[in-house]
Amino acid sequence: NDKLNEKGFFALYNSIDNLFEDDDDEEVSLGGTFSFYGIDYENVFVSSNGFLSFGNGNGSCPDCDENNPDPFPNTDTPNNMIAPLWNDLDPDDGGNITYKYVMNMPDKFITQWTEVPEFGSFGENKNTFQVALFFDSGCIEFRYGSLIVLLRDDSTVGVENINGTVGVDIQTARILDGIITCVRLCYDGTNYTVVDEQ
């Protein structure tokens, strides 16, 4: 069981030391291979603004520091994204961004934003959430703890492909209201679909 407390959120593991500034991103190893829209990746860019991106597939991630979310799909960069809560977040004002490779069948890579505040809230509007990438199935889970986002219309949740032409945009209201605390998406060969909500 990878849930270390009743809320299912981890203590701090591999802290991304270079990811403590506003509008920042850092490339990290997945510890395995994850297939996203049919393309295999071994590294991912983690953004301080609440999303992952596999970049352009060539080791760079244009605009992975973007703090102005677009709905999915959208051809504007950044693309190739997995966004549990794309928002203008500011780890420079507090919180931590961490990741962990979990080897316990099923193997997965988890990134967690812990009490990362919304920009401009002076460290007050803290948000805790995770994204889990399952290597065997290729499925994705968004998991939510406490969320305080005042600029609700400036949040995007979902996924989109490398060109920004195919994607899934998930309604954020029920997530921000705490009605949904977990969303599971799986790939059907063409696009991701929501297969479970809790």
Side-chain angles (χ1 to χ4, degrees):
N1 189 343
D2 63 353
K3 295 185 176 181
L4 301 186
N5 59 41
E6 67 276 8
K7 293 182 179 179
F9 289 94
F10 292 105
L12 301 181
Y13 281 91
N14 300 306
S15 179
I16 304 177
D17 293 331
N18 297 326
L19 199 58
F20 288 126
E21 297 181 4
D22 185 35
D23 299 337
D24 200 7
D25 64 89
E26 185 76 14
E27 186 178 19
V28 300
S29 171
L30 291 170
T33 301
F34 182 75
S35 180
F36 187 61
Y37 281 103
I39 303 174
D40 290 342
Y41 297 96
E42 295 182 352
N43 296 297
V44 70
F45 291 89
V46 180
S47 172
S48 62
N49 288 320
F51 65 85
L52 306 180
S53 175
F54 296 103
N56 58 16
N58 296 317
S60 65
C61 190
D63 297 322
C64 265
D65 58 355
E66 179 58 53
N67 62 18
N68 187 21
D70 292 315
F72 295 138
N74 190 299
T75 57
D76 291 342
T77 55
N79 299 124
N80 221 11
M81 291 175 64
I82 299 172
L85 185 64
W86 184 11
N87 191 282
D88 192 359
L89 303 177
D90 187 3
D92 192 40
D93 247 355
N96 292 278
I97 303 170
T98 58
Y99 67 96
K100 180 178 172 69
Y101 173 47
V102 182
M103 302 172 57
N104 67 348
M105 300 297 291
D107 294 350
K108 62 187 80 68
F109 174 86
I110 298 177
T111 305
Q112 179 171 308
W113 290 257
T114 305
E115 297 189 343
V116 179
E118 187 177 22
F119 179 80
S121 71
F122 303 99
E124 294 298 317
N125 300 346
K126 298 176 182 179
N127 299 276
T128 297
F129 55 95
Q130 287 182 347
V131 57
L133 311 182
F134 293 82
F135 295 142
D136 290 343
S137 66
C139 293
I140 299 164
E141 279 187 8
F142 298 153
R143 304 165 177 174
Y144 299 97
S146 175
L147 303 175
I148 304 176
V149 174
L150 296 185
L151 300 178
R152 297 164 67 91
D153 292 338
D154 292 336
S155 298
T156 295
V157 175
V159 298
E160 73 173 10
N161 71 353
I162 194 168
N163 301 313
T165 54
V166 178
V168 176
D169 196 64
I170 298 172
Q171 183 183 16
T172 59
R174 291 191 298 158
I175 293 170
L176 295 177
D177 288 339
I179 297 170
I180 296 173
T181 58
C182 183
V183 178
R184 184 176 178 88
L185 304 98
C186 294
Y187 187 58
D188 63 11
T190 302
N191 200 3
Y192 282 83
T193 57
V194 175
V195 297
D196 193 21
E197 292 181 348
Q198 297 178 17

